[in-house]
Amino acid sequence: MPGHGRSGLHPGDAGLPVTAFFTTRAEGVSLAPYESLNVADHVGDDAHAVQRNRRIVSERAGVPVAFLNAAHGIAVEHVTAQTQTLPLADVLVATDAGVALGAIAADCAPVLIHDGASGAVAAVHCGREGLYRGVIDAAIAAIFDLRGGWSDGALLTASIGPSICGRCYEVPLDMRERVASRHPAARASTRQGTAALDIPRAIESRLAEFGFGEIVRSAACTYEDELYFSHRREGVTGRQAGVIVCEGPTGSARGAR
Ligand SMILES: [Zn+2]
């Protein structure tokens, strides 16, 4: 199964049991300041370039990808093989084999989740506001709902993609404390000692509380590494994607009821 597996041999492989990966700026056709694999259609880039870039990403996925446009809240949408258009959403879930989901971000974290019990997949956009409002819990609740409520996390695996790190994401002190009141693992400090938020660490901590069987976390910081789009570094820029393909219940029923 090309492009599949836990080996991490393929660039950006998310390390999940199904086809799942994270894109970078590399490849693609967009011009500055969106150079070059921008997949976001809401940031001012040429629409045809975005379409071509999305086709490039879909070719890697092997099927057309439904890309999420974040509402920066906890909105969940169930994407099926019949879905034509998507409203703003922060979580996409799918159970139909051959449906691919894409979470787009530039500093916020794209999070991909696979449920080994049901075969369901989710793509999540998680930034500061979404984390605070419970977007990770919303994604997990949606996955448990698809199981009919059975809530053992052991067969869940997740991959947290490239995002701004806790040493770079400086915020006002009161903002840090607000988020950390719900997610203590988010409390961080910059290299200069000022208040910061560690969003990926907080996501990992929350997933672990649900008992996820495995959590993969990218070491890349979008703000530090120019291989990635960074909204904070560049202002007007593109977005990268985390993509996960639903392969249905077959082949993923290891240990399921
Ligand atoms: Zn950083």
Side-chain angles (χ1 to χ4, degrees):
M1 198 179 293
H4 169 276
R6 312 170 72 82
S7 64
L9 291 175
H10 301 275
D13 190 299
L16 295 177
V18 294
T19 297
F21 58 89
F22 297 102
T23 66
T24 68
R25 299 183 79 129
E27 304 178 71
V29 299
S30 291
L31 306 176
Y34 308 102
E35 74 277 19
S36 46
L37 190 60
N38 166 47
V39 296
D41 61 7
H42 66 286
V43 292
D45 193 4
D46 175 72
H48 296 290
V50 174
Q51 277 182 16
R52 284 187 62 184
N53 292 340
R54 288 183 167 195
R55 275 202 297 274
I56 290 169
V57 177
S58 293
E59 281 169 18
R60 179 167 174 190
V63 287
V65 177
F67 288 93
L68 162 163
N69 266 352
H72 298 279
I74 58 168
V76 178
E77 282 295 323
H78 188 174
V79 181
T80 72
Q82 280 73 47
T83 298
Q84 297 291 326
T85 56
L86 279 175
L88 293 181
D90 306 285
V91 179
L92 301 181
V93 296
T95 52
D96 289 352
V99 171
L101 307 176
I104 67 178
D107 292 340
C108 291
V111 183
L112 306 175
I113 300 173
H114 174 252
D115 182 6
S118 68
V121 298
V124 185
H125 171 103
C126 184
R128 176 191 73 237
E129 192 60 21
L131 176 74
Y132 177 76
R133 294 174 60 183
V135 73
I136 298 299
D137 291 36
I140 296 166
I143 288 171
F144 287 159
D145 282 349
L146 291 168
R147 287 178 177 180
W150 179 53
S151 59
D152 180 352
L155 291 174
L156 294 169
T157 54
S159 188
I160 304 164
S163 58
I164 190 168
C165 83
R167 292 177 305 281
C168 291
Y169 190 22
E170 183 177 37
V171 296
L173 181 63
D174 59 343
M175 184 182 287
R176 180 182 75 174
E177 295 310 309
R178 174 174 176 264
V179 175
S181 69
R182 290 188 179 172
H183 297 276
R187 184 180 281 110
S189 298
T190 63
R191 293 174 184 82
Q192 294 75 36
T194 56
L197 286 169
D198 193 327
I199 300 297
R201 186 173 67 194
I203 295 169
E204 182 176 20
S205 172
R206 191 65 183 141
L207 296 171
E209 286 176 353
F210 280 97
F212 271 56
E214 187 174 4
I215 304 165
V216 182
R217 182 171 144 194
S218 169
C221 170
T222 50
Y223 185 77
E224 294 175 69
D225 189 341
E226 294 189 357
L227 181 60
Y228 299 96
F229 296 107
S230 169
H231 181 260
R232 175 160 286 209
R233 187 183 64 230
E234 304 187 38
V236 177
T237 190
R239 300 289 184 274
Q240 48 258 345
V243 174
I244 188 164
V245 181
C246 185
E247 297 179 358
T250 54
S252 55
R254 303 165 292 119
R257 292 168 298 171

